[in-house]
Short mmCIF file of all heavy atoms in Angstrom, two decimals:
data_model
loop_
_atom_site.label_atom_id
_atom_site.label_comp_id
_atom_site.label_asym_id
_atom_site.label_seq_id
_atom_site.Cartn_x
_atom_site.Cartn_y
_atom_site.Cartn_z
N VAL A 588 4.68 -26.32 23.78
CA VAL A 588 4.66 -24.89 24.15
C VAL A 588 3.75 -24.11 23.21
O VAL A 588 2.91 -23.32 23.64
CB VAL A 588 6.10 -24.31 24.13
CG1 VAL A 588 6.08 -22.78 24.21
CG2 VAL A 588 6.92 -24.89 25.27
N PHE A 589 3.91 -24.37 21.90
CA PHE A 589 3.10 -23.64 20.93
C PHE A 589 1.61 -24.00 21.05
O PHE A 589 0.73 -23.15 20.94
CB PHE A 589 3.60 -23.91 19.50
CG PHE A 589 4.85 -23.13 19.19
CD1 PHE A 589 6.03 -23.77 18.85
CD2 PHE A 589 4.86 -21.73 19.24
CE1 PHE A 589 7.18 -23.05 18.56
CE2 PHE A 589 6.00 -21.02 18.96
CZ PHE A 589 7.17 -21.67 18.62
N THR A 590 1.33 -25.32 21.29
CA THR A 590 -0.08 -25.77 21.44
C THR A 590 -0.71 -25.09 22.64
O THR A 590 -1.84 -24.56 22.57
CB THR A 590 -0.13 -27.31 21.60
OG1 THR A 590 0.70 -27.89 20.62
CG2 THR A 590 -1.55 -27.84 21.45
N LEU A 591 0.04 -25.12 23.77
CA LEU A 591 -0.49 -24.48 24.98
C LEU A 591 -0.67 -22.98 24.76
O LEU A 591 -1.66 -22.38 25.21
CB LEU A 591 0.46 -24.72 26.17
CG LEU A 591 0.48 -26.15 26.71
CD1 LEU A 591 1.56 -26.32 27.76
CD2 LEU A 591 -0.88 -26.51 27.32
N SER A 592 0.28 -22.41 24.03
CA SER A 592 0.21 -20.98 23.74
C SER A 592 -1.04 -20.66 22.93
O SER A 592 -1.73 -19.67 23.19
CB SER A 592 1.47 -20.57 22.99
OG SER A 592 1.37 -19.27 22.52
N LEU A 593 -1.33 -21.55 21.95
CA LEU A 593 -2.53 -21.35 21.12
C LEU A 593 -3.79 -21.40 21.98
O LEU A 593 -4.72 -20.62 21.79
CB LEU A 593 -2.59 -22.42 20.02
CG LEU A 593 -1.64 -22.21 18.83
CD1 LEU A 593 -1.69 -23.40 17.89
CD2 LEU A 593 -1.99 -20.93 18.08
N ARG A 594 -3.79 -22.39 22.93
CA ARG A 594 -4.97 -22.53 23.80
C ARG A 594 -5.13 -21.28 24.68
O ARG A 594 -6.23 -20.78 24.87
CB ARG A 594 -4.82 -23.75 24.70
CG ARG A 594 -5.10 -25.02 23.94
CD ARG A 594 -5.41 -26.14 24.89
NE ARG A 594 -5.70 -27.34 24.16
CZ ARG A 594 -6.05 -28.46 24.73
NH1 ARG A 594 -6.11 -28.53 26.04
NH2 ARG A 594 -6.34 -29.50 24.01
N LEU A 595 -4.01 -20.84 25.22
CA LEU A 595 -4.06 -19.66 26.09
C LEU A 595 -4.55 -18.44 25.32
O LEU A 595 -5.17 -17.53 25.89
CB LEU A 595 -2.67 -19.38 26.69
CG LEU A 595 -2.25 -20.28 27.84
CD1 LEU A 595 -0.77 -20.04 28.18
CD2 LEU A 595 -3.10 -19.98 29.07
N ARG A 596 -4.25 -18.43 24.00
CA ARG A 596 -4.57 -17.25 23.21
C ARG A 596 -5.91 -17.41 22.45
O ARG A 596 -6.14 -16.74 21.44
CB ARG A 596 -3.44 -16.96 22.24
CG ARG A 596 -2.18 -16.52 23.00
CD ARG A 596 -0.96 -16.52 22.14
NE ARG A 596 -1.04 -15.53 21.08
CZ ARG A 596 -0.16 -15.45 20.09
NH1 ARG A 596 0.84 -16.33 20.04
NH2 ARG A 596 -0.29 -14.53 19.17
N ARG A 597 -6.76 -18.36 22.94
CA ARG A 597 -8.04 -18.60 22.25
C ARG A 597 -8.90 -17.31 22.23
O ARG A 597 -9.44 -16.93 21.23
CB ARG A 597 -8.81 -19.74 22.93
CG ARG A 597 -10.10 -20.08 22.21
CD ARG A 597 -10.84 -21.18 22.91
NE ARG A 597 -10.21 -22.46 22.72
CZ ARG A 597 -10.54 -23.55 23.40
NH1 ARG A 597 -11.44 -23.49 24.34
NH2 ARG A 597 -9.96 -24.69 23.16
N ARG A 598 -8.91 -16.65 23.41
CA ARG A 598 -9.75 -15.43 23.53
C ARG A 598 -9.21 -14.32 22.62
O ARG A 598 -9.96 -13.58 22.02
CB ARG A 598 -9.78 -14.95 24.97
CG ARG A 598 -10.66 -15.85 25.85
CD ARG A 598 -10.80 -15.28 27.22
NE ARG A 598 -11.47 -13.98 27.21
CZ ARG A 598 -11.47 -13.15 28.23
NH1 ARG A 598 -10.84 -13.46 29.33
NH2 ARG A 598 -12.11 -12.00 28.17
N GLU A 599 -7.92 -14.29 22.53
CA GLU A 599 -7.26 -13.28 21.68
C GLU A 599 -7.67 -13.52 20.21
O GLU A 599 -7.98 -12.57 19.47
CB GLU A 599 -5.74 -13.43 21.84
CG GLU A 599 -4.92 -12.40 21.13
CD GLU A 599 -3.44 -12.72 21.21
OE1 GLU A 599 -2.96 -13.19 22.26
OE2 GLU A 599 -2.76 -12.54 20.18
N ARG A 600 -7.71 -14.80 19.85
CA ARG A 600 -8.07 -15.14 18.46
C ARG A 600 -9.54 -14.77 18.19
O ARG A 600 -9.88 -14.26 17.14
CB ARG A 600 -7.84 -16.63 18.20
CG ARG A 600 -6.36 -16.98 17.99
CD ARG A 600 -6.19 -18.22 17.16
NE ARG A 600 -6.94 -19.35 17.67
CZ ARG A 600 -6.53 -20.17 18.62
NH1 ARG A 600 -5.35 -19.99 19.19
NH2 ARG A 600 -7.28 -21.18 19.03
N GLN A 601 -10.34 -15.07 19.25
CA GLN A 601 -11.78 -14.75 19.10
C GLN A 601 -11.97 -13.23 18.91
O GLN A 601 -12.73 -12.80 18.05
CB GLN A 601 -12.56 -15.22 20.33
CG GLN A 601 -12.90 -16.69 20.25
CD GLN A 601 -13.59 -17.18 21.52
OE1 GLN A 601 -13.70 -16.47 22.51
NE2 GLN A 601 -14.05 -18.44 21.48
N THR A 602 -11.27 -12.46 19.70
CA THR A 602 -11.34 -11.00 19.60
C THR A 602 -10.96 -10.55 18.19
O THR A 602 -11.64 -9.71 17.58
CB THR A 602 -10.40 -10.34 20.64
OG1 THR A 602 -10.62 -10.93 21.90
CG2 THR A 602 -10.60 -8.83 20.71
N MET A 603 -9.86 -11.13 17.69
CA MET A 603 -9.37 -10.76 16.36
C MET A 603 -10.41 -11.12 15.30
O MET A 603 -10.63 -10.37 14.34
CB MET A 603 -8.06 -11.47 16.05
CG MET A 603 -6.89 -10.87 16.82
SD MET A 603 -5.44 -11.88 16.72
CE MET A 603 -4.85 -11.38 15.15
N PHE A 604 -11.03 -12.31 15.51
CA PHE A 604 -12.04 -12.77 14.56
C PHE A 604 -13.22 -11.80 14.54
O PHE A 604 -13.73 -11.44 13.49
CB PHE A 604 -12.48 -14.19 14.96
CG PHE A 604 -13.41 -14.82 13.98
CD1 PHE A 604 -12.95 -15.18 12.69
CD2 PHE A 604 -14.74 -15.09 14.28
CE1 PHE A 604 -13.80 -15.76 11.78
CE2 PHE A 604 -15.59 -15.67 13.37
CZ PHE A 604 -15.12 -16.01 12.12
N GLN A 605 -13.60 -11.37 15.84
CA GLN A 605 -14.74 -10.44 15.96
C GLN A 605 -14.40 -9.07 15.36
O GLN A 605 -15.25 -8.35 14.86
CB GLN A 605 -15.14 -10.29 17.42
CG GLN A 605 -15.95 -11.48 17.91
CD GLN A 605 -16.03 -11.56 19.42
OE1 GLN A 605 -15.43 -10.76 20.12
NE2 GLN A 605 -16.75 -12.55 19.92
N LEU A 606 -13.11 -8.73 15.38
CA LEU A 606 -12.68 -7.45 14.80
C LEU A 606 -12.65 -7.51 13.26
O LEU A 606 -12.48 -6.50 12.59
CB LEU A 606 -11.26 -7.08 15.30
CG LEU A 606 -11.18 -6.51 16.71
CD1 LEU A 606 -9.73 -6.42 17.15
CD2 LEU A 606 -11.82 -5.14 16.77
N GLY A 607 -12.81 -8.71 12.72
CA GLY A 607 -12.93 -8.83 11.27
C GLY A 607 -11.80 -9.58 10.58
O GLY A 607 -11.73 -9.65 9.37
N CYS A 608 -10.87 -10.13 11.43
CA CYS A 608 -9.76 -10.89 10.84
C CYS A 608 -10.28 -12.24 10.36
O CYS A 608 -11.04 -12.90 11.07
CB CYS A 608 -8.68 -11.13 11.89
SG CYS A 608 -7.70 -9.71 12.16
N SER A 609 -9.81 -12.64 9.19
CA SER A 609 -10.20 -13.96 8.70
C SER A 609 -9.41 -15.03 9.43
O SER A 609 -8.37 -14.75 10.04
CB SER A 609 -9.95 -14.05 7.20
OG SER A 609 -8.58 -14.02 6.97
N ARG A 610 -9.87 -16.32 9.35
CA ARG A 610 -9.13 -17.42 10.02
C ARG A 610 -7.73 -17.57 9.43
O ARG A 610 -6.77 -17.86 10.14
CB ARG A 610 -9.91 -18.72 9.84
CG ARG A 610 -11.11 -18.80 10.75
CD ARG A 610 -11.77 -20.16 10.70
NE ARG A 610 -13.06 -20.10 11.36
CZ ARG A 610 -13.21 -20.16 12.69
NH1 ARG A 610 -12.16 -20.25 13.48
NH2 ARG A 610 -14.41 -20.11 13.23
N SER A 611 -7.64 -17.35 8.12
CA SER A 611 -6.33 -17.52 7.46
C SER A 611 -5.32 -16.50 7.97
O SER A 611 -4.15 -16.80 8.20
CB SER A 611 -6.48 -17.42 5.94
OG SER A 611 -6.85 -16.10 5.61
N VAL A 612 -5.81 -15.26 8.19
CA VAL A 612 -4.90 -14.21 8.71
C VAL A 612 -4.41 -14.58 10.11
O VAL A 612 -3.25 -14.43 10.45
CB VAL A 612 -5.62 -12.84 8.71
CG1 VAL A 612 -4.82 -11.79 9.48
CG2 VAL A 612 -5.85 -12.37 7.29
N ILE A 613 -5.37 -15.11 10.90
CA ILE A 613 -5.00 -15.50 12.27
C ILE A 613 -3.93 -16.61 12.22
O ILE A 613 -2.93 -16.58 12.93
CB ILE A 613 -6.24 -15.96 13.05
CG1 ILE A 613 -7.17 -14.74 13.24
CG2 ILE A 613 -5.87 -16.57 14.40
CD1 ILE A 613 -8.55 -15.06 13.72
N TRP A 614 -4.13 -17.61 11.34
CA TRP A 614 -3.12 -18.69 11.20
C TRP A 614 -1.79 -18.14 10.68
O TRP A 614 -0.72 -18.56 11.12
CB TRP A 614 -3.64 -19.80 10.27
CG TRP A 614 -4.49 -20.77 11.02
CD1 TRP A 614 -5.84 -20.92 10.96
CD2 TRP A 614 -4.00 -21.72 11.98
NE1 TRP A 614 -6.26 -21.91 11.81
CE2 TRP A 614 -5.16 -22.40 12.45
CE3 TRP A 614 -2.76 -22.03 12.50
CZ2 TRP A 614 -5.08 -23.41 13.42
CZ3 TRP A 614 -2.68 -23.04 13.45
CH2 TRP A 614 -3.83 -23.71 13.91
N LYS A 615 -1.88 -17.18 9.77
CA LYS A 615 -0.64 -16.58 9.24
C LYS A 615 0.14 -15.90 10.37
O LYS A 615 1.37 -15.98 10.45
CB LYS A 615 -0.97 -15.56 8.16
CG LYS A 615 -1.12 -16.18 6.78
CD LYS A 615 -1.49 -15.09 5.77
CE LYS A 615 -1.91 -15.74 4.45
NZ LYS A 615 -2.54 -14.73 3.56
N LEU A 616 -0.61 -15.23 11.26
CA LEU A 616 0.04 -14.57 12.40
C LEU A 616 0.80 -15.57 13.27
O LEU A 616 1.95 -15.36 13.66
CB LEU A 616 -1.03 -13.85 13.26
CG LEU A 616 -1.46 -12.47 12.80
CD1 LEU A 616 -2.72 -12.04 13.56
CD2 LEU A 616 -0.33 -11.48 13.05
N GLN A 617 0.11 -16.70 13.55
CA GLN A 617 0.72 -17.73 14.40
C GLN A 617 1.98 -18.32 13.74
O GLN A 617 3.02 -18.50 14.37
CB GLN A 617 -0.28 -18.87 14.67
CG GLN A 617 -1.56 -18.43 15.31
CD GLN A 617 -1.35 -18.07 16.78
OE1 GLN A 617 -0.50 -18.60 17.44
NE2 GLN A 617 -2.12 -17.13 17.28
N LEU A 618 1.85 -18.62 12.43
CA LEU A 618 2.97 -19.25 11.71
C LEU A 618 4.16 -18.29 11.57
O LEU A 618 5.31 -18.69 11.68
CB LEU A 618 2.52 -19.74 10.34
CG LEU A 618 1.62 -20.97 10.35
CD1 LEU A 618 1.10 -21.29 8.97
CD2 LEU A 618 2.37 -22.18 10.92
N THR A 619 3.84 -17.00 11.34
CA THR A 619 4.92 -16.00 11.24
C THR A 619 5.69 -15.93 12.56
O THR A 619 6.93 -15.82 12.58
CB THR A 619 4.33 -14.61 10.90
OG1 THR A 619 3.49 -14.75 9.78
CG2 THR A 619 5.42 -13.59 10.61
N GLU A 620 4.95 -16.04 13.66
CA GLU A 620 5.58 -16.02 14.99
C GLU A 620 6.57 -17.19 15.12
O GLU A 620 7.71 -17.00 15.52
CB GLU A 620 4.48 -16.12 16.04
CG GLU A 620 4.96 -15.94 17.43
CD GLU A 620 3.85 -16.21 18.43
OE1 GLU A 620 2.68 -15.85 18.15
OE2 GLU A 620 4.14 -16.83 19.46
N VAL A 621 6.10 -18.38 14.72
CA VAL A 621 7.00 -19.57 14.80
C VAL A 621 8.20 -19.39 13.88
O VAL A 621 9.35 -19.66 14.24
CB VAL A 621 6.20 -20.85 14.41
CG1 VAL A 621 7.13 -22.05 14.34
CG2 VAL A 621 5.08 -21.09 15.39
N PHE A 622 7.90 -18.88 12.68
CA PHE A 622 8.96 -18.69 11.70
C PHE A 622 10.02 -17.72 12.21
O PHE A 622 11.23 -17.96 12.10
CB PHE A 622 8.34 -18.18 10.38
CG PHE A 622 9.37 -17.78 9.37
CD1 PHE A 622 10.07 -18.75 8.64
CD2 PHE A 622 9.66 -16.44 9.13
CE1 PHE A 622 11.03 -18.37 7.72
CE2 PHE A 622 10.63 -16.07 8.21
CZ PHE A 622 11.31 -17.03 7.50
N LEU A 623 9.58 -16.62 12.83
CA LEU A 623 10.54 -15.61 13.33
C LEU A 623 11.39 -16.17 14.47
O LEU A 623 12.59 -15.89 14.56
CB LEU A 623 9.78 -14.36 13.80
CG LEU A 623 9.29 -13.44 12.68
CD1 LEU A 623 8.51 -12.27 13.26
CD2 LEU A 623 10.46 -12.92 11.85
N ILE A 624 10.76 -16.96 15.31
CA ILE A 624 11.53 -17.56 16.42
C ILE A 624 12.58 -18.52 15.86
O ILE A 624 13.75 -18.49 16.26
CB ILE A 624 10.58 -18.28 17.40
CG1 ILE A 624 9.86 -17.22 18.24
CG2 ILE A 624 11.33 -19.25 18.31
CD1 ILE A 624 8.73 -17.72 19.08
N LEU A 625 12.16 -19.34 14.90
CA LEU A 625 13.13 -20.28 14.29
C LEU A 625 14.24 -19.53 13.57
O LEU A 625 15.42 -19.89 13.67
CB LEU A 625 12.41 -21.22 13.32
CG LEU A 625 11.48 -22.26 13.95
CD1 LEU A 625 10.79 -23.08 12.87
CD2 LEU A 625 12.22 -23.19 14.90
N LEU A 626 13.86 -18.47 12.87
CA LEU A 626 14.86 -17.68 12.13
C LEU A 626 15.86 -17.04 13.09
O LEU A 626 17.08 -17.08 12.86
CB LEU A 626 14.14 -16.60 11.31
CG LEU A 626 15.06 -15.79 10.38
CD1 LEU A 626 15.50 -16.64 9.19
CD2 LEU A 626 14.37 -14.53 9.90
N SER A 627 15.36 -16.48 14.18
CA SER A 627 16.25 -15.86 15.18
C SER A 627 17.22 -16.89 15.75
O SER A 627 18.41 -16.62 15.93
CB SER A 627 15.44 -15.26 16.32
OG SER A 627 14.47 -14.43 15.82
N SER A 628 16.69 -18.07 16.03
CA SER A 628 17.54 -19.13 16.58
C SER A 628 18.64 -19.51 15.58
O SER A 628 19.80 -19.70 15.94
CB SER A 628 16.70 -20.38 16.89
OG SER A 628 15.69 -20.04 17.76
N LEU A 629 18.22 -19.60 14.33
CA LEU A 629 19.18 -19.99 13.29
C LEU A 629 20.30 -18.95 13.15
O LEU A 629 21.48 -19.29 13.04
CB LEU A 629 18.44 -20.14 11.96
CG LEU A 629 19.00 -21.18 11.01
CD1 LEU A 629 18.87 -22.56 11.61
CD2 LEU A 629 18.26 -21.12 9.67
N VAL A 630 19.91 -17.67 13.20
CA VAL A 630 20.91 -16.60 13.11
C VAL A 630 21.86 -16.68 14.30
O VAL A 630 23.09 -16.55 14.16
CB VAL A 630 20.20 -15.21 13.06
CG1 VAL A 630 21.21 -14.08 13.23
CG2 VAL A 630 19.45 -15.06 11.75
N LEU A 631 21.30 -16.94 15.48
CA LEU A 631 22.12 -17.06 16.69
C LEU A 631 23.10 -18.24 16.55
O LEU A 631 24.28 -18.11 16.92
CB LEU A 631 21.19 -17.26 17.89
CG LEU A 631 21.75 -16.84 19.24
CD1 LEU A 631 22.13 -15.38 19.25
CD2 LEU A 631 20.73 -17.11 20.35
N VAL A 632 22.60 -19.34 16.04
CA VAL A 632 23.46 -20.53 15.84
C VAL A 632 24.61 -20.19 14.90
O VAL A 632 25.77 -20.51 15.15
CB VAL A 632 22.63 -21.72 15.29
CG1 VAL A 632 23.54 -22.83 14.78
CG2 VAL A 632 21.71 -22.27 16.37
N LEU A 633 24.27 -19.50 13.82
CA LEU A 633 25.31 -19.13 12.84
C LEU A 633 26.34 -18.20 13.46
O LEU A 633 27.56 -18.36 13.23
CB LEU A 633 24.67 -18.46 11.63
CG LEU A 633 23.94 -19.39 10.66
CD1 LEU A 633 23.22 -18.61 9.59
CD2 LEU A 633 24.92 -20.37 10.01
N CYS A 634 25.89 -17.26 14.26
CA CYS A 634 26.82 -16.32 14.91
C CYS A 634 27.76 -17.07 15.86
O CYS A 634 28.98 -16.86 15.84
CB CYS A 634 26.05 -15.25 15.69
SG CYS A 634 25.19 -14.13 14.61
N ILE A 635 27.18 -17.93 16.68
CA ILE A 635 28.01 -18.69 17.65
C ILE A 635 29.00 -19.57 16.88
O ILE A 635 30.18 -19.65 17.23
CB ILE A 635 27.12 -19.52 18.59
CG1 ILE A 635 26.29 -18.59 19.48
CG2 ILE A 635 27.97 -20.45 19.46
CD1 ILE A 635 25.22 -19.28 20.31
N THR A 636 28.53 -20.22 15.81
CA THR A 636 29.41 -21.09 15.02
C THR A 636 30.56 -20.28 14.43
O THR A 636 31.71 -20.73 14.40
CB THR A 636 28.61 -21.77 13.89
OG1 THR A 636 27.45 -22.35 14.46
CG2 THR A 636 29.42 -22.84 13.20
N ALA A 637 30.24 -19.08 13.94
CA ALA A 637 31.29 -18.24 13.34
C ALA A 637 32.34 -17.87 14.39
O ALA A 637 33.54 -17.88 14.10
CB ALA A 637 30.66 -17.00 12.75
N VAL A 638 31.85 -17.55 15.60
CA VAL A 638 32.81 -17.19 16.68
C VAL A 638 33.67 -18.39 17.03
O VAL A 638 34.90 -18.29 17.16
CB VAL A 638 32.05 -16.66 17.92
CG1 VAL A 638 33.00 -16.49 19.11
CG2 VAL A 638 31.37 -15.35 17.60
#
Side-chain angles (χ1 to χ4, degrees):
Chain A
V588 168
F589 283 120
T590 313
L591 288 173
S592 171
L593 284 174
R594 283 199 179 182
L595 283 171
R596 292 167 66 189
R597 184 181 286 169
R598 286 186 62 195
E599 185 187 322
R600 283 206 307 276
Q601 277 176 353
T602 311
M603 286 169 81
F604 187 68
Q605 282 164 356
L606 282 171
C608 282
S609 67
R610 284 187 192 280
S611 66
V612 169
I613 294 167
W614 275 108
K615 274 178 191 168
L616 277 168
Q617 302 287 330
L618 287 174
T619 309
E620 187 187 322
V621 174
F622 172 76
L623 283 178
I624 285 170
L625 290 177
L626 186 73
S627 307
S628 303
L629 212 64
V630 169
L631 205 59
V632 167
L633 285 173
C634 291
I635 294 171
T636 310
V638 171

